[in-house]
Amino acid sequence: AKILAVNGTPLSGPPRAALLVFHNITELRRLERMRQDFVANVSHELKTPLASIRAYADSLLDWALEDPEITRRFVSQIDEQAERLDVLIHDLLSLARIESGQDLITFRPLALAPLVERRVESFRDRAQSRNVSLSFVTELPPQFTILADEEALRQILDNLIDNAIKYSSDVDPWVKVVCRGDGEAGMVAIDVIDNGLGIASEEQTRIFERFYRVDKARSRERGGTGLGLAIVKHLVQALRGEIELQSRVGAGSRFTVRLPRQRPANPSDPALGASN
Ligand code: ADP
C-alpha cells in the first residue's frame, strides 16, 4: 500500500520516503522496548524465587536448624521455589525455541478426538484435587484425522486445560473440552470452556503477551509463569490455526482453537520445518 497523503497533505518524493523511514524507526523502537521489558521481566521472575531460596537457606544456617519443625517447613519452601524456577526456565526455553522457528513443526495425520481425550484424562487427578468437574465431548468420530504436529497440539491443550482448572470458580467449578467441526469448511475447532473467574474485555488481548497476568499473586500462587498463553499463541500460528477468546468476568471463559484439517501449502515457510 502506498501512502499518498498525510492529514490531507499530498506527499511527493522525499517526504514520502522520510515518512516511511520514520515509521520503521518507531517500529524498531517499539521492538527494542519490548525486548527490554522482556529482559527486565525475566530478571525479575528469576530473582524473586532465588531471593527467597537464599533467605530460607540463610535463616537455616543462622538459627532455624535447631528446630526440626521449622527446618522441615523452610526446606519445603526452598523445594517449592526451586520448582518454580525450573518451570520458568522450561517455559522460557520453549518460548525461545518456538519463536526462533527452531522447534520444527512436523505435520502428520492425527486422530483428533482420541488425542484431545487423552490430554483431558491426564488432568483428571488435578481437577479432582481442586473439586473441578472435568468433561470431554466430541462431535467428531474417533477416526477423524487432521494434519498437525502432535507435540504442539499437546502443549496447546495442556496450557489451556491447566489454566481452565487453575482459574476455576470457587463454587461448583467445571471445565468442559469440546471437539467439533467448524462452520468454515476444512477447519476443526477445540473449545476449552470454564465457568471460572473470567477475563475483562480490556485484558483479553493482553493475556497472550509474555508475562502478562491479570492477577500476579493468584497466578504465582497457582504455579503460573505468565508464559503459557504466549506459547499457545505461537504454536497455534505455527499450525496455521487461530485462537479466539470469549469471556466475561465472573461468568467464565471459552478459548477456541481453530485448526485446518489439511496442512495449508506454503513450502517456503520455515515453520513447516522437517516435514517438507
Ligand atoms: P499463567 O502462568 O499466569 O497462567 P498464562 O499466559 O497461561 O500465564 O495466562 C496469562 C493470564 O491470563 C493468567 O495469569 C490469568 O490472569 C489469565 N487467564 C488465562 N486463562 C484463564 C482462564 N481460563 N480464566 C481466567 N483467567 C485466565
Side-chain angles (χ1 to χ4, degrees), residues 151-269:
E151 176 55 23
L153 201 49
R154 188 189 67 71
Q155 276 196 61
I156 293 168
L157 291 165
D158 285 5
N159 273 301
L160 293 177
I161 300 170
D162 187 45
N163 278 347
I165 295 173
K166 215 155 62 174
Y167 303 108
S168 55
S169 144
D170 292 334
V171 193
D172 293 333
W174 55 257
V175 170
K176 184 170 158 185
V177 181
V178 182
C179 274
R180 57 183 171 85
D182 192 50
E184 231 175 293
M187 299 289 276
V188 291
I190 306 160
D191 303 301
V192 179
I193 314 166
D194 65 64
N195 65 340
L197 304 180
I199 302 155
S201 52
E202 62 275 17
E203 318 256 26
Q204 287 180 16
T205 49
R206 301 218 60 197
I207 57 165
F208 292 94
E209 291 170 17
R210 299 175 295 192
F211 290 119
Y212 190 83
R213 286 167 284 193
V214 176
D215 178 346
K216 274 200 183 201
R218 185 164 188 138
S219 156
R220 268 209 203 104
E221 169 228 322
R222 298 182 181 208
T225 62
L227 294 174
L229 287 179
I231 293 175
V232 166
K233 191 180 92 179
H234 278 91
L235 287 172
V236 171
Q237 279 167 357
L239 294 180
R240 302 286 169 277
E242 29 188 78
I243 183 158
E244 186 200 336
L245 164 64
Q246 290 169 288
S247 183
R248 209 149 43 81
V249 172
S253 308
R254 170 197 297 251
F255 286 84
T256 300
V257 176
R258 288 200 179 76
L259 296 172
R261 266 198 81 179
Q262 303 291 334
R263 178 181 65 176
N266 184 2
S268 63
D269 196 321

Side-chain angles (χ1 to χ4, degrees), residues 20-37:
L20 292 177
V21 170
F22 177 70
H23 176 80
N24 281 346
I25 290 173
T26 350
E27 176 62 11
L28 279 178
R29 286 224 181 97
R30 196 183 65 85
L31 290 174
E32 178 55 19
R33 205 163 16 211
M34 274 174 69
R35 198 191 60 78
Q36 284 168 353
D37 285 353

